[in-house]
């Protein structure tokens, strides 16, 4: 087990390294930040001074090595805009995105799994047809549009919920969280629901497909033949067998939500990482973009590791390499 | 023989238009082994599932009675049936690779079976499970309880399944071709084991199979099914030695070991009819060399002593 985890971590480091190369080159292609950073009236000498201060006069490979060396020391550069270490700017925004993502995934699971189970157990029910139709809408409608509709309906027309921002926050473990205050929670609901919609539908459909697949299998019939209560047959025998694809999707989608909640955060002006990255791309704030992408990759790697470990807990036939039988 | 444990009267289980089981009657005495024989689609498995109340939809029992413990259990509620299943009646399935849940440990699957019917502690249930495994010949049962199904061979898995079936010492066990998926040597072991165990507990056994060789070794009585009906039944040695129904005779003739080497293997001409479109009369008539116009009318049950059959032209030279 330990050997397997260590091997996975080494793989993760290689992935991160490959990522730095891609990110670094890509970012140099998309534009020259100097044009944006320096006021148009600045003279040539001033311009050269800034270019040199940022190290942009060096050949690309030297810039890369300098970046890599600094990155190894935990320094991903200083934001051109905020004049703060990029990693700190990102981490400041991380809790907002994280709580939004966690809330969204929780909503998706709480809605998706039970409805999927219901639809799988009653494939011909009228309610099942309603659920399945709505779920198609759920992942066909564009997120930004649904977000706008939510704002219009609940924010503007009914006036029940605030339509943007993060509201009041409270401190926990030295970090500001919105979900701890009533106001913050109210602000959290709409963006979380908006973000959850797609994944709830995805989880729902996966669960339903899993139930339909597992239900006719002999072991379910045998479980019934043993005289088990239906709650145990479904709750243990069926559920545990359908959880593997569901866990995979939850893991992947959690990463996606954290990394790319750009749209929802923009629509609801949620001050998270997604909004930050869009702003930073607009002003070509290279260190922020780089740090953001690195953080995202690291996040995905961690999630994948957790998902793999969860598999072994769910399915004894899946064993990580390096572990004895 | 002793008292009747289970009596099936005119059971009809239909899947919409398809009359999978259409008027099956038989009874099983305590400690008796009944071999229910027929080819695929003859309705023998559906008969088994009807008895334990687990017919897959859209199948439903549309008629007849299943009398167990003095009651017609086709009228029992779901909860009453659940309470009977596993405790008073058990079923063993064909493919041991599929019968056990792949993601649950053996002990989980056995303990839940004990606790489904008895209010005992986990420790006690576990001890029961361990003893049951020991009884069916699984070495070091304490360790094996910790294992997952995929860590067992097919034969061992079937032993686990048998152990689960025996946990509550049921009145009868329905075994649906439990040795078909196993190697011949393992098959023989399981048969011997099964025979020993049901004899010990005086448990009745309904052995569903298409394998006449197995039935001849194991069963006391045989019932031959064709197209949803029992066409012939009686003591196993009598029926196999002197079949009355031409279908039974054809079945016996088709056993490869009875054919001469070098000769073409004998078979019954034609195909089993679709149970969706059964003729009014004898369903075997279209394939039968002895059939005539009379066979197109409904065939009554002919009984002589322990032997029963449904053929208006039973094999004459062997008539009882």
């Amino acid at each position: 087990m330990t050997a397997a985890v260590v091997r996975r971590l080494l793989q993760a480091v290689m992935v991160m390294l490959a990522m730095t190369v891609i990110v670094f080159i890509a970012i140099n292609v998309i534009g020259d930040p100097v044009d944006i950073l320096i006021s148009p009236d600045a003279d040539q000498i001033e311009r050269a001074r800034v270019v040199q201060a940022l190290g942009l006069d060096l050949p690309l490979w030297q810039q890369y090595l300098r970046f890599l060396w600094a990155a190894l020391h935990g320094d991903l550069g200083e934001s051109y805009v905020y004049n703060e270490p990029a990693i700190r700017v990102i981490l400041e925004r991380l809790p907002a995105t994280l709580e939004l993502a966690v809330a969204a995934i929780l909503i998706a699971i709480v809605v998706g799994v039970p409805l999927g189970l219901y639809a799988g157990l009653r494939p011909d029910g009228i309610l099942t047809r309603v659920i399945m139709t709505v779920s198609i809408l759920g992942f066909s409608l564009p997120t930004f549009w649904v977000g706008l509709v939510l704002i219009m309906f609940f924010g503007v027309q009914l006036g029940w919920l605030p339509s943007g921002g993060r509201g009041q926050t409270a401190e926990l473990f030295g970090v500001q969280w919105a979900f701890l205050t009533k106001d913050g929670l109210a602000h959290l609901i709409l963006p979380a629901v908006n973000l959850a919609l797609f994944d709830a539908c995805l989880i729902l459909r996966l669960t339903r497909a899993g139930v339909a697949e597992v239900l006719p299998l002999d072991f379910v019939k045998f479980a019934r033949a043993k005289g088990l209560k239906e709650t145990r047959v479904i709750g243990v025998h069926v559920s545990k067998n359908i959880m593997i694809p569901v866990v995979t999707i939850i893991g992947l989608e959690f990463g996606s939500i954290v990394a790319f909640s750009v749209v929802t955060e923009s629509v609801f002006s949620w001050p998270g990482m997604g909004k930050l990255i869009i702003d930073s791309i607009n002003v070509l704030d290279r260190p922020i973009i780089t740090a953001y992408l690195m953080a995202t990759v690291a996040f995905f790697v961690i999630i994948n590791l957790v998902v793999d470990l969860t598999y072994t807990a769910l399915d004894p036939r899946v064993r990580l390499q390096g572990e004895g039988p | 023989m002793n008292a009747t444990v289970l009596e099936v009267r005119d059971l009809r289980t239909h899947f919409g238009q398809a009359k999978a089981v259409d008027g099956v009657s038989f009874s099983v005495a305590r400690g008796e082994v009944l071999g229910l024989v027929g080819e695929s689609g003859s309705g023998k498995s559906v008969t088994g599932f009807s008895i334990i109340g687990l017919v897959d939809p859209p199948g439903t029992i549309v008629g007849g009675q299943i009398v167990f413990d003095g009651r017609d259990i086709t009228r029992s509620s779901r909860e009453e049936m659940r309470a009977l299943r596993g405790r008073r009646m058990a079923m063993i399935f064909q493919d041991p690779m599929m019968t056990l849940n792949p993601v649950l440990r053996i002990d989980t699957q056995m303990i839940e079976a004990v606790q489904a019917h008895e209010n005992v502690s986990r420790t006690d249930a576990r001890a029961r499970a361990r003893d049951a495994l020991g009884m069916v010949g699984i070495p070091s049962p304490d360790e094996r309880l910790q294992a997952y199904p995929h860590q067992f061979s097919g034969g061992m898995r079937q032993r686990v399944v048998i152990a689960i079936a025996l946990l509550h010492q049921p009145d009868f066990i329905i075994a649906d071709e439990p040795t078909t998926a196993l190697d011949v040597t393992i098959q023989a072991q399981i048969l011997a084991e099964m025979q020993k165990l049901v004899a010990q507990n005086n448990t009745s056994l309904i052995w569903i199979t298409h394998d006449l060789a197995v039935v001849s070794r194991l069963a006391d009585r045989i019932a031959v099914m064709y197209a949803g009906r029992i066409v012939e039944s009686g003591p196993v040695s009598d029926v196999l030695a002197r079949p009355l129904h031409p279908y039974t005779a054809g079945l016996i003739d088709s056993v490869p070991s009875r054919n001469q080497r070098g000769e073409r293997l004998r078979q019954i001409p034609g195909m089993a009819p679709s149970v969706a479109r059964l003729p009014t009369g004898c369903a075997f008539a279209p394939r039968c060399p002895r059939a005539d116009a009379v066979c197109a009318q409904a065939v009554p049950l002919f009984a002589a002593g322990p032997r029963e059959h449904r053929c208006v032209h039973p094999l004459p030279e062997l008539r009882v």
Side-chain angles (χ1 to χ4, degrees):
Chain A
M1 191 76 166
T2 324
V5 172
V6 169
R7 193 172 315 161
R8 291 303 302 266
L9 286 175
L10 283 175
Q11 282 172 6
V13 171
M14 297 309 289
V15 170
M16 297 282 290
L17 203 61
M19 191 62 196
T20 58
V21 178
I22 297 168
V23 168
F24 205 81
I25 293 172
I27 224 129
N28 268 281
V29 176
I30 59 171
D32 191 348
V34 179
D35 298 335
I36 293 173
L37 284 173
I38 303 174
S39 70
D41 340 318
D43 58 9
Q44 204 57 33
I45 301 165
E46 170 67 7
R47 190 182 164 87
R49 197 187 59 74
V50 173
V51 167
Q52 201 181 12
L54 294 174
L56 296 173
D57 54 340
L58 298 170
L60 192 58
W61 64 272
Q62 275 188 22
Q63 285 186 42
Y64 176 69
L65 287 184
R66 269 176 58 164
F67 159 77
L68 202 60
W69 183 248
L72 280 178
H73 295 79
D75 174 14
L76 289 172
E78 197 154 295
S79 163
Y80 300 157
V81 178
Y82 299 90
N83 290 320
E84 271 184 75
I87 197 75
R88 190 194 296 165
V89 177
I90 302 262
L91 290 180
E92 266 169 19
R93 304 296 189 93
L94 182 64
T97 298
L98 215 52
E99 70 179 344
L100 182 60
V102 170
I105 278 290
L106 284 180
I107 293 173
I109 294 171
V110 168
V111 173
V113 172
L115 289 184
L117 273 177
Y118 179 88
L121 292 174
R122 290 206 170 59
D124 301 320
I126 294 173
L127 192 55
T128 298
R129 269 178 226 157
V130 175
I131 291 171
M132 296 322 284
T133 313
V134 171
S135 79
I136 290 177
L137 282 182
F139 62 67
S140 320
L141 294 174
T143 311
F144 76 91
W145 185 80
V146 174
L148 292 176
V149 170
L150 285 176
I151 289 178
M152 251 171 57
F153 197 67
F154 291 101
V156 180
Q157 300 256 323
L158 295 172
W160 289 353
L161 293 164
S163 60
R166 198 177 173 210
Q168 214 180 346
T169 56
E171 197 180 281
L172 180 73
F173 305 125
V175 183
Q176 296 292 325
W177 300 99
F179 74 93
L180 293 173
T181 68
K182 216 172 152 187
D183 181 49
L185 208 54
H187 279 82
L188 183 60
I189 292 175
L190 281 188
V193 166
N194 185 205
L195 206 50
L197 184 66
F198 178 87
D199 290 311
C201 298
L202 197 61
I203 290 172
L204 187 162
R205 296 188 81 89
L206 265 178
T207 309
R208 186 193 76 117
V211 173
E213 197 179 308
V214 169
L215 220 47
L217 294 183
D218 267 1
F219 65 77
V220 176
K221 216 164 193 185
F222 187 64
R224 292 194 174 123
K226 288 195 292 192
L228 299 187
K229 291 213 163 69
E230 203 56 20
T231 46
R232 186 164 175 96
V233 174
I234 303 299
V236 176
H237 285 260
V238 174
S239 293
K240 213 175 165 198
N241 274 281
I242 61 172
M243 272 307 139
I244 286 175
V246 175
V247 166
T248 311
I249 284 301
I250 290 173
L252 286 177
E253 284 300 311
F254 188 63
S256 301
I257 288 180
V258 170
F260 310 114
S261 55
V262 180
V263 174
T264 298
E265 287 189 9
S266 302
V267 171
F268 290 91
S269 355
W270 187 261
M273 298 201 305
K275 195 161 178 316
L276 175 70
I277 186 69
I278 286 292
D279 296 345
S280 300
I281 289 173
N282 282 335
V283 297
L284 286 178
D285 194 347
R286 281 186 186 174
I288 295 276
I289 302 173
T290 320
Y292 171 82
L293 291 174
M294 300 306 298
T296 306
V297 172
F299 201 75
F300 262 96
V301 167
I302 292 168
I303 285 177
N304 276 326
L305 190 62
V306 171
V307 168
D308 279 353
L309 293 176
T310 317
Y311 283 163
T312 60
L314 280 176
D315 191 342
R317 291 165 299 184
V318 180
R319 290 290 185 232
L320 292 178
Q321 282 186 352
E323 191 188 351
Chain B
M1 273 289 170
N2 308 321
T4 300
V5 165
L6 175 76
E7 190 176 358
V8 176
R9 287 185 206 143
D10 196 32
L11 176 70
R12 291 166 196 276
T13 304
H14 294 181
F15 291 71
Q17 287 300 304
K19 298 169 176 173
V21 174
D22 198 33
V24 162
S25 304
F26 63 86
S27 65
V28 187
R30 180 161 300 284
E32 186 187 33
V33 180
L34 172 74
L36 196 56
V37 182
E39 49 195 307
S40 313
S42 59
K44 52 196 197 306
S45 293
V46 176
T47 305
F49 285 119
S50 301
I51 294 170
I52 62 165
L54 286 179
V55 181
D56 281 325
T60 40
I61 298 177
V62 295
Q65 295 167 340
I66 299 168
V67 181
F68 173 69
D69 209 14
R71 312 182 38 194
D72 175 14
I73 55 173
T74 59
R75 293 168 192 281
S76 296
S77 71
R78 288 167 137 228
E79 175 57 24
E80 283 167 340
M81 279 312 286
R82 184 202 67 74
L84 288 179
R85 277 198 297 270
R87 188 167 61 89
R88 306 280 313 268
M89 51 179 76
M91 186 149 179
I92 301 171
F93 295 165
Q94 177 170 351
D95 189 353
M97 302 292 177
M98 297 296 298
T99 315
L100 295 167
N101 193 324
V103 303
L104 297 176
R105 286 201 328 219
I106 299 298
D107 55 356
T108 315
Q109 303 193 45
M110 294 191 77
I111 289 168
E112 65 178 7
V114 176
Q115 290 183 328
H117 301 291
E118 280 172 49
N119 198 2
V120 291
S121 72
R122 255 190 90 80
T123 329
D124 292 349
R126 206 189 143 83
R128 282 263 291 277
R130 186 195 55 218
D131 295 345
L133 284 190
M135 204 166 66
V136 295
I138 288 179
S140 49
D142 250 325
E143 286 161 41
R144 298 310 268 162
L145 271 178
Q146 312 267 358
Y148 286 95
H150 71 277
Q151 292 164 316
F152 287 81
S153 66
M156 281 296 159
R157 272 189 235 191
Q158 200 60 293
R159 283 170 194 266
V160 173
V161 173
I162 293 169
I164 292 175
L166 289 170
L167 273 175
H168 295 278
Q169 284 162 349
D171 296 40
F172 66 89
I173 298 176
I174 299 169
D176 189 3
E177 310 216 25
T179 57
T180 310
L182 303 175
D183 290 348
V184 185
T185 46
I186 308 291
Q187 205 171 4
Q189 285 176 14
I190 297 277
L191 278 179
E193 196 79 52
M194 202 67 200
Q195 211 163 14
K196 192 187 83 192
L197 290 168
V198 294
Q200 265 172 17
N201 298 324
N202 208 17
T203 308
S204 310
L205 186 60
I206 299 169
W207 194 280
I208 297 172
T209 184
H210 61 264
D211 190 342
L212 287 173
V214 168
V215 171
S216 68
R217 286 186 46 187
L218 187 70
D220 303 313
R221 234 153 35 85
I222 183 173
V224 181
M225 277 191 84
Y226 187 78
R229 288 194 189 123
I230 291 180
V231 293
E232 175 163 13
S233 66
V236 73
S237 47
D238 289 4
V239 173
L240 291 183
R242 282 170 284 125
L244 294 172
H245 198 286
Y247 175 66
T248 315
L251 213 54
I252 297 168
D253 263 356
S254 308
V255 175
S257 60
R258 293 177 66 94
N259 287 229
Q260 285 293 315
R261 194 180 166 78
E263 207 182 310
R264 272 186 81 89
L265 290 175
R266 257 167 288 180
Q267 53 179 341
I268 304 174
M271 300 255 289
S274 158
V275 285
R277 276 176 283 108
L278 286 181
T280 353
C282 174
F284 186 63
R287 303 169 73 185
C288 184
R290 309 173 62 79
D292 60 16
V294 188
C295 298
Q297 284 151 28
V299 187
L301 183 71
F302 300 97
R307 300 197 58 171
E308 293 176 347
H309 67 90
R310 277 177 189 277
C311 182
V312 282
H313 301 303
L315 297 171
E317 61 272 36
L318 299 169
R319 192 189 293 260
V320 177

